[in-house]
Amino acid sequence: MSQAFHYTTEYVLDKTYFEECFDQSVSPQTHPKQYLKTVIFVVIGLGILLLDNLSQLPISNKETYYLGYFFIGLGVVEWLSIRFKRTWWLWRQMMSKAAGDKVTLEINDAGIHSQSTHVNQQIAWTDVYRVTQTEAGFLIALQKSTTYLSKRCLDAASIEFIASKQS
């Protein structure tokens, strides 16, 4: 009878951890489809400005003029979020309430349990769809989401245990 596996460690959600998460889990390629929302915002903004200039209706006033530029501004912000995807994502993570928290990670035969001040997540091995090993960690695919687990907080036995869970 084999002995039950159990591993516990702690790590901090700092900038280097978030950088690793992004680099290992997000594709750096941009697709034209990602710019669709940008184009829609700009077209709506230009449409409002064009209608405002051409129309003599009573709704043509200063507010509709500002609304057109507001949509164009949204398009610019959306474009920046795609163009600077990594920086944008890191900034959002570092501004979150979880940044700087200490996470307690427990891996056992039942699954992976991570707990911090703001998060209490339990992933059962039966819920795991696929485990993909990257150079610096594991991408754990669930039915509707994917979670990243860094190897830097794991020992050799836990890395081998998680790798054995790969489909």
Side-chain angles (χ1 to χ4, degrees), residues 129-145:
Y129 175 69
R130 178 178 48 240
V131 176
T132 306
Q133 190 169 357
T134 67
E135 60 190 48
F138 293 96
L139 289 171
I140 301 168
L142 305 172
Q143 186 175 3
K144 295 184 179 183
S145 65

Side-chain angles (χ1 to χ4, degrees), residues 22-38:
F22 184 88
D23 294 338
Q24 296 298 311
S25 62
V26 177
S27 172
Q29 298 174 352
T30 57
H31 303 285
K33 185 179 177 183
Q34 292 175 316
Y35 291 101
L36 182 63
K37 197 182 335 177
T38 301

Side-chain angles (χ1 to χ4, degrees), residues 74-139:
L74 282 177
V76 170
V77 170
E78 184 66 25
W79 176 79
L80 289 171
S81 74
I82 296 167
R83 174 70 176 89
F84 301 103
K85 184 178 0 181
R86 184 177 191 264
T87 305
W88 192 268
W89 187 85
L90 286 174
W91 179 77
R92 285 193 341 251
Q93 300 309 310
M94 293 305 296
M95 295 301 289
S96 73
K97 60 185 176 184
D101 275 359
K102 187 178 284 189
V103 177
T104 303
L105 177 70
E106 184 179 336
I107 302 170
N108 56 32
D109 290 330
I112 301 171
H113 180 243
S114 57
Q115 184 173 3
S116 69
T117 308
H118 304 288
V119 174
N120 186 9
Q121 181 183 30
Q122 178 72 39
I123 300 172
W125 291 118
T126 56
D127 296 338
V128 173
Y129 175 69
R130 178 178 48 240
V131 176
T132 306
Q133 190 169 357
T134 67
E135 60 190 48
F138 293 96
L139 289 171

Side-chain angles (χ1 to χ4, degrees), residues 44-64:
I44 290 172
L46 291 174
I48 290 171
L49 289 176
L50 186 64
L51 284 174
D52 190 48
N53 285 336
L54 296 177
S55 175
Q56 298 301 324
L57 296 175
I59 63 167
S60 297
N61 56 30
K62 190 186 284 188
E63 285 78 18
T64 57

